[in-house]
Amino acid sequence: MTKTVGGIKAQTGLQDSLQMWYTELQNNHSGNIFRVDRVLESYDSKFQRIDVLQTVGLGKALALYGSLMVTEGDYNAYNEALAHTALFAHPNPAEVLIIGGGDCGCLTNVLKHPEVKTATMCELDKEVVEVCKRHFPKLTAGLKDPRAKVKFADGKKFLETTKNKYDVILLDLSDPIGPAAELFQKQFHQTVFERLKDDGILVAQSESPFYNQEIVKTLYSNLDSIFPLVRMYLCHMITYPSALWSFAFCSKKYHPLDDFDQKRYDKLARKMKNEYYNSDTHRASFGLPEYVKRLLPTI
Ligand code: SPD
């Protein structure tokens, strides 16, 4: 049964008691709400709580410690924007490192590039990869690629001890409040800088520029003091807070727009079968609203 309240149709009656909703509040005042059909898995790994939900409108969803990471409805936007922006700006992204990214969506997109010789993913929580293999096989498809190397380790310790240097490093992290908190600190970004080759590129997910303004300010100020070139770009993510998500493009040499390789993109475009990223979104994603620009010290 439905009734209209202020122009909005609301479910009433018996059905109300059967409805489940996933809610994620920001700053305790507003946020996201998604209707859930059923809970498919819910358990604690060694590091965090893991929930897989069947939502009504967005397919399956993965939440870690109560924060939505992935839904079938929009995971392409985040993963494609994270992976391809750096890879089309670097002329030869042969050695790529992903820190975090346990759902493997970023890894799978990185491996769409024939220039990639090795894509190493360093994920803290093996359970995240295992649960995604069970529920998000399209995301984890890249694991079958012989160029994929997976390490289950703390990303900070891994980077502090490895002797390898990378062309591109992608920080596909959860939020600064979860198990990835340390990986939002300046000290870690300095280590990332040192593990990049002389013309390397880092892209780090950098939270919502609407809800997480203090985090964004500190993060970009830190990155700006380490990298010669730092730019923010955005993507549209309906399931992340504010539906607007940001990434920090940090580079020792290449410019995200001047060095974007249109020819390489055109050659690969059809084969990539992307849902979100293309050469237009690449360029447009660096156009920032005024309120976002004001968060960035020198950009
Ligand atoms: N609040 C959600 C932030 C999620 C950002 N990263 C997601 C990583 C999924 N690979």
Side-chain angles (χ1 to χ4, degrees):
M1 195 185 355
T2 60
K3 72 173 179 183
T4 301
V5 184
I8 296 169
K9 277 192 179 151
Q11 296 281 344
T12 61
L14 178 62
Q15 275 194 324
D16 273 350
S17 57
L18 298 176
Q19 286 184 13
M20 279 191 289
W21 298 87
Y22 174 88
T23 57
E24 196 176 307
L25 285 184
Q26 301 302 316
N27 308 333
N28 224 15
H29 59 65
S30 51
N32 286 349
I33 173 163
F34 303 107
R35 188 163 163 205
V36 173
D37 188 25
R38 62 191 65 194
V39 178
L40 301 173
E41 296 203 40
S42 181
Y43 63 103
D44 292 313
S45 75
K46 191 172 150 201
F47 301 100
Q48 57 205 332
R49 175 174 168 159
I50 297 178
D51 294 295
V52 182
L53 313 170
Q54 182 67 54
T55 71
V56 173
L58 294 157
K60 287 186 187 176
L62 169 75
L64 301 179
Y65 56 86
S67 175
L68 207 56
M69 295 290 136
V70 164
T71 75
E72 287 179 315
D74 71 346
Y75 60 55
N76 290 310
Y78 172 93
N79 286 316
E80 291 174 11
L82 173 57
H84 300 305
T85 306
L87 270 70
F88 280 117
H90 193 293
N92 186 24
E95 303 298 327
V96 178
L97 173 68
I98 300 159
I99 301 284
D103 56 72
C104 305
C106 179
L107 176 74
T108 299
N109 275 286
V110 163
L111 291 165
K112 290 179 181 175
H113 291 253
E115 292 77 16
V116 172
K117 290 203 174 104
T118 311
T120 304
M121 183 179 89
C122 177
E123 162 63 45
L124 178 67
D125 193 345
K126 189 170 188 213
E127 276 304 318
V128 176
V129 176
E130 293 305 320
V131 84
C132 289
K133 282 204 252 177
R134 292 196 287 279
H135 294 281
F136 302 94
K138 283 191 186 155
L139 280 180
T140 58
L143 290 172
K144 297 191 188 112
D145 190 310
R147 297 171 297 160
K149 310 269 174 256
V150 180
K151 295 190 186 306
F152 294 109
D154 178 300
K156 185 164 178 279
K157 286 192 191 134
F158 174 78
L159 268 187
E160 282 168 356
T161 49
T162 184
K163 302 241 177 323
N164 295 339
K165 288 212 170 188
Y166 297 91
D167 298 300
V168 173
I169 298 180
L170 302 171
L171 301 186
D172 184 8
L173 306 176
S174 48
D175 307 283
I177 47 147
E182 267 199 300
L183 310 188
F184 284 82
Q185 302 297 318
K186 186 173 176 181
Q187 195 196 348
F188 177 66
H189 296 133
Q190 184 64 47
T191 309
V192 171
F193 182 88
E194 282 152 26
R195 300 326 306 162
L196 280 169
K197 293 181 191 169
D198 290 345
D199 60 351
I201 297 173
L202 158 72
V203 172
Q205 80 87 349
S206 56
E207 300 288 292
S208 161
F210 183 82
Y211 280 121
N212 309 122
Q213 299 201 344
E214 289 312 309
I215 291 167
V216 167
K217 277 194 222 167
T218 309
L219 182 64
Y220 279 78
S221 149
N222 290 343
L223 291 168
D224 203 53
S225 68
I226 299 171
F227 284 85
L229 184 147
V230 180
R231 294 286 183 280
M232 178 192 272
Y233 67 98
L234 302 170
C235 86
H236 180 235
M237 272 299 287
I238 190 73
T239 57
Y240 287 174
S242 76
L244 183 69
W245 210 248
S246 71
F247 301 91
F249 180 104
C250 311
S251 173
K252 293 191 179 183
K253 181 171 178 188
Y254 302 114
H255 188 281
L257 300 175
D258 299 346
D259 293 304
F260 171 70
D261 192 338
Q262 182 72 50
K263 281 199 185 123
R264 213 165 91 223
Y265 171 78
D266 290 341
K267 213 170 138 198
L268 201 58
R270 204 186 283 205
K271 205 171 167 206
M272 285 197 293
K273 295 199 174 104
N274 284 350
E275 289 288 327
Y276 184 89
Y277 175 94
N278 59 32
S279 53
D280 294 333
T281 66
H282 182 106
R283 292 193 184 88
S285 65
F286 287 90
L288 305 178
E290 280 305 306
Y291 82 90
V292 179
K293 281 188 186 177
R294 283 199 281 270
L295 306 174
L296 310 175
T298 61
I299 299 167

